[in-house]
Amino acid sequence: MPTWSSVVVATPVHSGLGPTLSYRSELSLAPGTLVRVPLGAREVLGVAWDGPDVPPPGMDESQGKPVLGALEGLTPLNAAWRQLVSFAARYYQRSLGEVALAALPPQLRDLDAAQLARRLKRQAKTAAAHPAPTGTPVAALPPSPEQEAVLQALPGAAGPVLLFGATGSGKTEVYLRMTDAALASDPAAQVLVMVPEINLTPQLEARFRERFAAQYGDGAVVSMHSGMTPAQRLGSWLAAHSGAARIVLGTRMAIFASLPGLRLIVVDEEHDPSYKSQDGARYSARDLAVYRAKVESEALAAKGQRCQVILGSATPSLESWHAADQGRYLRLEMPARIGGGSLPKLRLVDMNHQPKGASIAPPLLAAMETRIARGEQCLVLLNRRGYAPVLSCDACAWKSQCPHCSAFRVFHKLDRTLRCHHCGFTSRVPRACPDCGNLDIAPVGRGTEQIEEQLAGLLSAVKRPDGQPARVARMDADTTRLKGSLEQQLAALHSGEVDVLVGTQMVAKGHDFRRITLVASINADAALFASDYRAPERLFALLMQAAGRAGRDAAQAGASEMWVQTWHPEHALFASLRKHDFPGFAAAQLAEREAAGMPPFGAQALLRADARTQEAAQAFLNAAAEAAAELPHRDEVTLYPAVPLTIQRVANVERAQLLVESASRAALQRFLAAWQPLLLDGRSIPGARGLIRFAVDIDPVSI
Ligand code: ADP
Ligand code: ZN
Ligand code: ZN
């Protein structure tokens, strides 16, 4: 007797189809079963979902399309996973199918039954080919007193833990030990460790492998991130889903991995904005980690087990810090660096008192020369790649404007191109001004390429202890584009080939540079007065993190320095930075946020619109606001007028947004849920003409 199954497929929220579709099947399918079903003329991957096994209204058993087959050899996705996906779809206002299918490896969609069977066989074979685990644990270093105290306190924490530990305080060592304990607690236990950037996964994987591969086998540690090939991603996913992988290391996408034995989630550098997705379902992997740990724990409660979540950072997000203030998270602290090294001393350079036009102030240059002569390394940060942010003509008003965006194209001197960093539009640098023919077109402002060039010149006479001239290198998205180039550059730095590294914020994150004793941020001011209220929080985190790169070798730590060039040395942020006082900084920021009703004291969402013209984008948003007048909870939310984005045109698309705010997260959620059908139904919003797309961004990280 045929039965009915609810199945989710990748239908976007605007398709107007329900959250699940009904299909006929010969056998009743357990929720979570992966299936192939017809959709229109296509055959697609779907997931059998929790739902009534009765025919949809108006259909009988002779109607409806049949399930074509289940994916054999794969156990159903478990209830906690389905709950995570349902929650994410609901909270971030996307369709269930969109979130569920995006959470699965793309290759799973394309393989037919025979291919999948071959894949699973191969997977089993490789697993068998790994050297047998010895079962012998690798001895860990004895914990420091601070690590010891944290390790003692962690098992007693009922909810999420915020591990507030200075850079170099040994947080990773705590994760390793907690992983060890979790894996030992149950033969099926799994651990998920997340990092914000793909670049950080290789070194993390190396550390986890070193500690656990012998004991649990080579296949027990896998990575999961968007830099992997589709085949690699499928391999990691299958390993996690089958339980063969005991430890999954990954970027934000890993939060959706199928982990039937999940017992511990670690979110390292939890403050990092990369945890927030910027397209599709704009989810926060950190927030979902907290949610996931809760539902996994509920599912495990009957067994007397649970899934713990640890958020780690030297500069926590104000959301997590506030949650700890309120007692919702347990805050554990490790203020001291391993080996007793102190954090670098802050040196502010008041640019008001420096020679005009100097990009590197003379005292900073002198300090760098001294360090190089002693065989130490320097790190110079500038958040702007290329040679100069704009080329400009002296004789007329011409500037290297991008024809497709409201932004300038950046001058890259090495390959003599003008490149738009927003749409990618690239052309050769013109010989003369395209408008007036003037031959004198000049770069304005400085990027990493130019600073690298200038420093190479300024330091050319400086000798290292081995008598060689000082070497300057650069690391940013341009120099690391090729596969393996980042690793090579890091190796050059570690081996001491390079004395000065110039780079964007990418170099400030996580890498363990042993011999760096001086870090300099040469143009940090933009963030002090940015319109985005999160800019100071970001700047503070970046500078603290950059400072954390210096003096990791205790022998040199006493003398390490963090230099910041600024036109506003009196800014309060620097006073906190000088004392390495994150709690003081956070308290001041939170007081400001509370006074203004901003997150985490209120909740926000953005309605974003892309259109052919700015008028159309704004008209849609404003009409959407008007159409909401009668909606439930309308009186508990504030809708602001539509405004253009800071960069309002990208690739010939005009962009605008409308801020929605509420003192109550629940009220905001209910309002948005009621608003969504109106937004999807073009007829109810007259301004929709000329609109290309719209999206809702819940808990946006940039305004
Ligand atoms: P964090 O993640 O907080 O920046 P790490 O865990 O990377 O810090 O530790 C910093 C350095 O200290 C690493 O080189 C690590 O090997 C070392 N380390 C960590 N814990 C200990 C310990 N208990 N004893 C000795 N060295 C340690
Ligand atoms: Zn000109
Ligand atoms: Zn452009």
Side-chain angles (χ1 to χ4, degrees):
M1 212 214 39
T3 76
W4 290 85
S5 284
S6 310
V7 175
V8 300
V9 294
T11 47
V13 75
H14 58 257
S15 68
L17 298 169
T20 62
L21 301 178
S22 292
Y23 287 93
R24 270 188 304 121
S25 67
E26 289 306 315
L27 302 170
S28 93
L29 295 167
T33 305
L34 287 152
V35 293
R36 305 211 143 269
V37 292
L39 183 70
R42 293 174 305 144
E43 178 187 326
V44 299
L45 179 67
V47 185
W49 215 256
D50 316 67
D53 47 4
V54 293
M59 259 194 214
D60 64 41
E61 269 150 35
S62 61
Q63 297 170 303
K65 291 185 177 175
V67 171
L68 300 173
L71 269 62
E72 304 223 351
L74 295 178
T75 48
L77 294 151
N78 71 11
W81 185 88
R82 299 197 303 279
Q83 212 174 323
L84 171 72
V85 165
S86 299
F87 171 78
R90 201 166 59 242
Y91 187 81
Y92 294 106
Q93 306 273 321
R94 309 300 292 199
S95 79
L96 189 54
E98 187 184 4
V99 177
L101 275 294
L104 298 173
Q107 249 196 8
L108 212 50
R109 263 173 259 171
D110 308 330
L111 297 185
D112 63 30
Q115 288 168 319
L116 181 65
R118 272 202 299 278
R119 190 74 177 76
L120 288 169
K121 211 160 143 197
R122 189 145 38 90
Q123 189 100 3
K125 222 157 138 196
T126 351
H130 284 307
T134 60
T136 326
V138 170
L141 301 161
S144 70
E146 287 187 350
Q147 285 171 336
E148 184 65 47
V150 163
L151 290 165
Q152 293 284 331
L154 269 163
V161 172
L162 178 61
L163 179 56
F164 171 48
T167 47
S169 62
K171 293 187 292 298
T172 311
E173 187 59 35
V174 170
Y175 308 152
L176 286 161
R177 282 174 174 266
M178 290 303 289
T179 299
D180 194 19
L183 295 185
S185 72
D186 185 324
Q190 293 177 303
V191 173
L192 171 63
V193 183
M194 292 199 291
V195 285
E197 295 233 348
I198 294 178
N199 291 338
L200 298 172
T201 51
Q203 60 177 34
L204 190 73
E205 187 174 330
R207 267 178 97 171
F208 274 78
R209 245 174 224 296
E210 182 190 11
R211 188 69 65 86
F212 298 109
Q215 189 177 1
Y216 293 104
D218 257 354
V221 185
V222 300
S223 287
M224 219 177 255
H225 58 74
S226 59
M228 295 165 48
T229 65
Q232 289 171 329
R233 266 174 75 176
L234 179 62
S236 292
W237 188 87
L238 289 171
H241 179 67
S242 69
R246 305 289 304 275
I247 302 169
V248 172
L249 311 170
T251 51
R252 64 169 182 258
M253 67 189 301
I255 191 57
F256 287 113
S258 168
L259 292 157
L262 190 58
R263 296 291 185 281
L264 172 66
I265 308 177
V266 173
V267 185
D268 193 23
E269 310 289 3
E270 67 90 30
H271 64 279
D272 199 296
S274 309
Y275 283 119
K276 182 82 159 66
S277 168
Q278 290 304 333
D279 51 39
R282 294 170 179 243
Y283 63 89
S284 156
R286 177 196 65 219
D287 295 351
L288 288 181
V290 171
Y291 177 83
R292 186 168 188 176
K294 189 169 83 100
V295 295
E296 300 277 357
S297 292
E298 283 162 9
L300 288 166
K303 285 214 269 177
Q305 296 186 337
R306 64 158 172 171
C307 174
Q308 190 162 37
V309 59
I310 304 175
L311 313 177
S313 176
T315 50
S317 64
L318 292 176
E319 282 78 5
S320 300
W321 191 257
H322 179 60
D325 283 347
Q326 290 182 314
R328 286 186 285 127
Y329 296 0
L330 175 66
R331 179 163 40 220
L332 298 175
E333 308 193 8
M334 299 202 300
R337 290 180 125 184
I338 294 285
S342 55
L343 283 162
K345 198 169 148 52
L346 180 70
R347 300 228 171 231
L348 286 180
V349 183
D350 185 345
M351 293 308 275
N352 298 294
H353 300 166
Q354 299 303 320
K356 237 182 139 206
S359 44
I360 308 279
L364 170 56
L365 192 66
M368 291 174 65
E369 289 170 357
T370 313
R371 304 264 161 187
I372 297 165
R374 286 210 300 254
E376 298 168 16
Q377 294 172 309
C378 305
L379 184 65
V380 177
L381 281 179
L382 173 63
N383 220 3
R384 214 189 242 165
R385 61 198 171 82
Y387 191 85
V390 53
L391 270 191
S392 141
C393 169
D394 283 349
C396 74
W398 183 84
K399 285 189 166 53
S400 55
Q401 176 79 44
C402 174
H404 310 296
C405 305
S406 52
F408 294 118
R409 278 176 299 159
V410 174
F411 173 39
H412 288 253
K413 191 174 173 186
L414 280 184
D415 55 5
R416 304 221 43 98
T417 56
L418 289 177
R419 278 189 237 160
C420 176
H421 288 183
H422 302 282
C423 73
F425 180 72
T426 301
S427 61
R428 308 266 319 152
V429 171
R431 247 177 253 292
C433 171
D435 283 2
C436 74
N438 172 22
L439 288 173
D440 216 14
I441 45 178
V444 180
R446 294 174 189 90
T448 46
E449 254 186 33
Q450 187 173 168
I451 295 298
E452 178 193 16
E453 180 187 278
Q454 285 187 347
L455 278 173
L458 290 167
L459 298 170
S460 60
V462 180
K463 295 272 190 298
R464 322 177 342 160
D466 63 5
Q468 299 273 328
R471 275 172 232 173
V472 182
R474 171 169 59 95
M475 193 161 112
D476 55 30
D478 295 317
T479 68
T480 55
R481 196 156 287 149
L482 291 175
K483 207 168 162 56
S485 54
L486 177 74
E487 287 76 8
Q488 271 173 24
Q489 288 173 31
L490 289 174
L493 196 74
H494 286 292
S495 68
E497 260 172 64
V498 168
D499 305 294
V500 178
L501 183 69
V502 179
T504 52
Q505 60 176 354
M506 129 193 249
V507 299
K509 288 189 183 176
H511 301 291
D512 198 355
F513 303 133
R514 297 271 93 178
R515 286 170 49 233
I516 288 182
T517 61
L518 184 153
V519 174
S521 168
I522 59 173
N523 187 4
D525 280 355
L528 292 177
F529 305 101
S531 61
D532 189 334
Y533 66 92
R534 288 180 204 266
E537 178 185 357
R538 297 249 166 83
L539 178 62
F540 194 90
L542 176 66
L543 294 178
M544 283 288 278
Q545 206 157 23
R549 299 307 111 213
R552 286 172 83 89
D553 253 355
Q556 297 155 333
S560 70
E561 290 174 344
M562 165 93 204
W563 288 68
V564 178
Q565 297 192 154
T566 176
W567 296 86
H568 306 278
E570 72 295 339
H571 198 285
L573 186 146
F574 295 125
S576 299
L577 190 66
R578 187 182 293 285
K579 292 181 280 179
H580 306 291
D581 179 16
F582 178 79
F585 171 76
Q589 287 283 312
L590 283 169
E592 276 179 33
R593 299 265 187 102
E594 184 164 26
M598 300 233 246
F601 299 93
Q604 291 182 331
L606 287 175
L607 180 61
R608 296 180 184 265
D610 289 353
R612 289 280 163 237
T613 64
Q614 184 60 221
E615 294 70 42
Q618 293 193 22
F620 167 76
L621 296 173
N622 290 328
E626 268 171 46
E630 306 293 321
L631 291 181
H633 303 280
R634 174 64 185 86
D635 55 338
E636 289 168 84
V637 301
T638 308
L639 300 180
Y640 290 87
V643 293
L645 263 66
T646 315
I647 296 175
Q648 74 173 61
R649 187 166 53 104
V650 167
N652 295 321
V653 171
E654 288 284 341
R655 315 182 307 164
Q657 65 185 24
L658 182 154
L659 178 63
V660 188
E661 231 173 47
S662 176
S664 152
R665 181 174 300 277
L668 179 66
Q669 277 285 319
R670 284 189 214 111
F671 169 78
L672 292 171
W675 203 17
Q676 198 187 50
L678 289 187
L679 299 175
L680 293 172
D681 176 8
R683 282 160 307 180
S684 56
I685 297 168
R689 242 175 305 132
L691 181 74
I692 299 169
R693 64 182 87 84
F694 72 86
V696 182
D697 186 353
I698 318 286
D699 305 331
V701 291
S702 57
I703 295 277

